[in-house]
Amino acid sequence: MTTRTAHTTPEPPATAPLLDLQALVVAVRRRRRLWCSMALLGLLAGVAVAVLLPPPPTAVTKVLVAHQQDQPNDPGTLIRTDAALLHTTRIAGEALRSMKSSEEPEDFMEDYEGLGLTNNLLQITVAGDSDAEAVERAEALADAFVADHVRRIREAASAEAKTLLEQRDRMRDELAEVNATIEEGPPPQSGSQEAANMESLFARRAELTSRITDFSQRAAEARVGTPQLVAGTQIVDAARVVPHSLPRAAGTNAAIGLVLGLALGLAAAAVGTVVADRPVLRREIAAHLGASVVAELPRRSVLPWRRRRIRAARTRLVTSLARTVRGSAEPVSLLELGCARGASTLALDLGRALAAEEPVVVVDALPGPRLSRRRPKPGDPAVVGAGDAGAGQSGERRLGVGSVAPGTAWTDLPYLGARTVLVVRAGHAATAWLHTVARRLEEQRVAVAGVVLIDPDPRDRSDGTLWDGPRGVPLGRSERPARLNGGGTSHALQAVGEETRRTERLPMPAARIPDSDQEAR
């Protein structure tokens, strides 16, 4: 019988997103121990800072500052200038001299600060060794600032008035010269030119008289305005101690530390997730291993109702695996990746379920403490090491249990079983290692019956089933899957045509799946 075979061109791989937000959110949520620990550490650090490093005794006072250049639309430049002037050695030195203190002004400036509350209101905060000292420092500093501000106002007013008066005196001297020239004027019989000169002299005398009067008024206004500015600069709030509440400070610092720690923990978890590249979702693990997720088992819990659910899920899983093992004519193995303890327990449970019908021997090839060394319980199957696997009796069903973690002896896996069920912990292995496991099992001709996912994300709603061939035929029933290798997709054998699929399905040879598109072609 001749069967026509149609060679189809493999479809190009779908473009993977640069960043899978769903996988990132799931992976960060699974690392909640990290960011919860960071948040708790930040909270404790905030409380510790509030308790171990309390603020020094602090006093506060407020000063109303009047400015000659005050404008309604002033953006606060003048009050910021006053706050900067407060932080000068001149004012600090005056305050220290009034207190008769030998402290250096530079050191004193580190203990106080000025803050402009409005355009004309300055708040001065001073720290001290005690409440009384803080209040004394605040009063001395406020008095020194007010005295310095008043002195600067008076000096500015005096300088302005002096300048105006000097201008007025120069105008008076020029007016005297003009008056003398007018008195020495020409006789009445002089010509028109002399008359024009006299008119200009009279006009100049009138202008000088007006300017002299203006300068006199301005000088008087400069002096009159100074008392108003001096009276307007005063201490409006006497120095008082700032109350300190330890519970409030601890609560505030704890909240700040909690937020900062949580943000830092989330950032570290997100960066670690992206860098580690460890698949968590069902669809990712199934795609990278090239096998469907047939079952999943939650992690252990201390809650009673969850423990009952986990026991029920384990019972269902053991029953399903027992049917798979009984229906296989070849030995079946359990290969763990990141869950050696769970795989060994699952192998014993599966062995107990099978031992009720036929003799079973569990071949232990797990690293570390072996199942063969544990004390057997009633109903447990016989357990032998990997080196004694060939010493079993005829008619016994062999159930191998091993590992595909780094350091695995790949050539020993076929002796554990020609078919295997991978027991994989979600988020344990990187993408590259999942590809390595899939490729190594294919090279050793070990068929993967499915994947049992340990500790899956409870909110994962992705599908872990792969499909190959006509719609409705699950992967693994008729053909071997196309495996993901590296960053691209390697296609399985394309030697089955559409007509063959409709009539009959030929058994597939044990051929190596190509690792690249060039080999597939």
Side-chain angles (χ1 to χ4, degrees):
M1 176 178 177
T2 304
T3 303
R4 293 179 299 175
T5 303
H7 297 275
T8 59
T9 303
E11 297 180 358
T15 303
L18 182 61
L19 182 62
D20 192 344
L21 293 180
Q22 181 185 4
L24 179 62
V25 171
V26 171
V28 171
R29 186 168 60 243
R30 288 177 63 86
R31 293 191 173 189
R32 54 184 173 272
R33 290 184 179 179
L34 172 62
W35 46 267
C36 286
S37 300
M38 295 291 291
L40 180 61
L41 183 61
L43 185 146
L44 296 178
V47 175
V49 168
V51 174
L52 301 179
L53 300 175
T58 306
V60 62
T61 182
K62 295 177 183 178
V63 179
L64 180 64
V65 185
H67 304 97
Q68 190 173 5
Q69 300 85 6
D70 274 338
Q71 297 294 333
N73 57 350
D74 179 45
T77 305
L78 297 177
I79 198 67
R80 286 197 299 269
T81 302
D82 293 331
L85 288 173
L86 183 67
H87 253 76
T88 56
T89 55
R90 182 175 65 183
I91 295 180
E94 290 293 336
L96 291 174
R97 279 191 291 272
S98 65
M99 293 185 296
K100 298 180 180 180
S101 174
S102 59
E103 186 179 2
E104 294 294 331
E106 291 79 4
D107 299 334
F108 181 44
M109 287 191 298
E110 297 178 358
D111 296 336
Y112 69 86
E113 63 178 3
L115 176 64
L117 302 179
T118 64
N119 290 346
N120 297 97
L121 189 61
L122 179 65
Q123 176 178 287
I124 302 175
T125 305
V126 187
D129 295 335
S130 63
D131 293 343
E133 182 180 0
V135 171
E136 182 184 5
R137 283 184 163 194
E139 292 176 349
L141 190 61
D143 292 337
F145 175 79
V146 170
D148 183 80
H149 187 74
V150 169
R151 181 180 57 80
R152 286 187 286 107
I153 289 177
R154 288 175 176 172
E155 289 179 355
S158 299
E160 183 180 1
K162 181 179 179 181
T163 302
L164 293 174
L165 294 177
E166 288 177 355
Q167 292 288 341
R168 184 198 63 179
D169 294 340
R170 285 197 294 269
M171 297 287 180
R172 283 179 176 178
D173 294 341
E174 185 177 354
L175 178 61
E177 294 178 359
V178 171
N179 289 333
T181 304
I182 292 175
E183 291 177 358
E184 297 175 358
Q189 294 81 10
S190 59
S192 59
Q193 182 65 30
E194 295 296 336
N197 291 338
M198 290 299 295
E199 290 180 2
S200 63
L201 289 176
F202 282 115
R204 179 60 177 168
R205 184 174 64 179
E207 178 184 1
L208 291 175
T209 302
S210 175
R211 295 185 65 180
I212 290 171
T213 303
D214 180 58
F215 280 121
S216 299
Q217 291 178 354
R218 290 171 61 185
E221 291 175 357
R223 288 196 179 99
V224 170
T226 301
Q228 297 177 357
L229 297 178
V230 171
T233 302
Q234 57 183 324
I235 300 174
V236 294
D237 190 4
R240 55 185 176 82
V241 177
V242 178
H244 174 67
S245 174
L246 182 59
R248 180 179 299 177
T252 303
N253 291 354
I256 295 175
L258 176 66
V259 173
L260 292 179
L262 181 61
L264 183 60
L266 289 175
V271 173
T273 297
V274 174
V275 173
D277 189 20
R278 296 180 177 181
V280 177
L281 301 179
R282 297 189 194 93
R283 67 164 184 263
E284 293 182 335
I285 295 176
H288 293 309
L289 285 175
S292 299
V293 176
V294 297
E296 58 185 30
L297 190 63
R299 66 176 179 178
R300 295 184 177 183
S301 176
V302 296
L303 302 178
W305 58 89
R306 293 196 62 183
R307 295 178 66 179
R308 288 194 297 267
R309 294 178 185 176
I310 295 173
R311 284 197 297 267
R314 181 181 294 276
T315 302
R316 292 194 299 269
L317 174 59
V318 171
T319 303
S320 177
L321 292 179
R323 285 195 298 265
T324 301
V325 174
R326 292 191 191 101
S328 175
E330 301 171 339
V332 179
S333 64
L334 299 179
L335 299 180
E336 66 84 21
L337 183 56
C339 50
R341 183 177 179 182
S344 61
T345 305
L346 187 60
L348 289 177
D349 293 342
L350 182 57
R352 295 189 191 101
L354 295 174
E357 299 180 2
E358 56 182 338
V360 178
V361 59
V362 177
V363 181
D364 178 22
L366 288 172
R370 299 180 180 274
L371 291 173
S372 56
R373 298 180 183 177
R374 66 185 300 272
R375 180 177 300 177
K377 298 180 181 179
D380 284 355
V383 180
V384 298
D388 302 331
Q393 300 177 3
S394 59
E396 289 182 337
R397 180 177 292 276
R398 291 173 49 187
L399 178 63
V401 55
S403 175
V404 288
T408 298
W410 301 102
T411 55
D412 294 341
L413 297 183
Y415 297 99
L416 296 178
R419 297 185 65 192
T420 186
V421 175
L422 293 176
V423 184
V424 181
R425 179 177 293 277
H428 173 76
T431 299
W433 187 251
L434 294 179
H435 293 171
T436 301
V437 171
R439 186 170 59 252
R440 291 291 190 176
L441 292 177
E442 183 65 28
E443 291 175 353
Q444 299 298 324
R445 304 294 189 268
V446 177
V448 180
V451 178
V452 175
L453 194 60
I454 303 297
D455 190 17
D457 187 80
R459 299 184 183 180
D460 181 14
R461 298 296 181 265
S462 62
D463 187 9
T465 304
L466 298 184
W467 299 90
D468 186 25
R471 185 181 300 274
V473 181
L475 181 66
R477 301 284 182 85
S478 59
E479 297 179 326
R480 299 197 61 81
R483 300 190 185 279
L484 294 177
N485 186 13
T489 304
S490 298
H491 297 273
L493 299 178
Q494 304 291 334
V496 181
E498 293 297 332
E499 181 177 350
T500 307
R501 294 185 181 183
R502 290 194 298 266
T503 58
E504 61 179 346
R505 186 170 302 279
L506 298 178
M508 296 186 63
R512 175 178 175 269
I513 292 180
D515 290 337
S516 63
D517 291 340
Q518 288 77 7
E519 294 185 31
R521 297 190 186 97

